[in-house]
Every structure is written in structure tokens, then in C-alpha cells.
Amino acid sequence: MASPSGTWSNNQPPSTFEKLWRGLILVGAIHLGGMLVNVVFQMLGNHSLDGIPAKFLGL
């Protein structure tokens, strides 16, 4: 019987629910890291990164 842990057991991958949460955590961590980089750039007086979100909206 597969255990509800987030690791492989009996040659079965983690459940879809656990993979979803891992993905959300990874995307959230990358997002927060990018925000931190942007804040540091702004504190240093460099505002070159501020236009990146607008590029995703086609602006």
C-alpha cells in the first residue's frame, strides 16, 4: 500500500495532489525571489526591471 508521503514508494510517483503543492511552492518561491531582486534593484536606483510585468500584458 502506498504511503501518503511526498516521496516515491513502491516505484510509484507522489500523488497528483502532492505534485500540485510542490509546483505551487516552487512557483511561489521563484515569484518571491524575483520580487526581492526587483526591490533591491529599486533601492539601488535601478528601475529597469519595472517594465517586465507590462511586457506580459502586451503593453
Side-chain angles (χ1 to χ4, degrees):
M1 174 120 329
S3 64
S5 69
T7 59
W8 284 63
S9 59
N10 299 329
N11 291 327
Q12 295 295 320
S15 68
T16 304
F17 178 78
E18 289 162 355
K19 286 191 283 189
L20 172 66
W21 276 108
R22 284 182 182 179
L24 288 173
I25 290 168
L26 181 63
V27 168
I30 292 170
H31 182 76
L32 290 174
M35 289 173 58
L36 179 63
V37 168
N38 190 28
V39 168
V40 170
F41 267 57
Q42 288 179 354
M43 289 169 57
L44 295 174
N46 183 338
H47 297 278
S48 61
L49 299 178
D50 293 346
I52 292 176
K55 289 180 177 61
F56 288 101
L57 299 173
L59 301 174

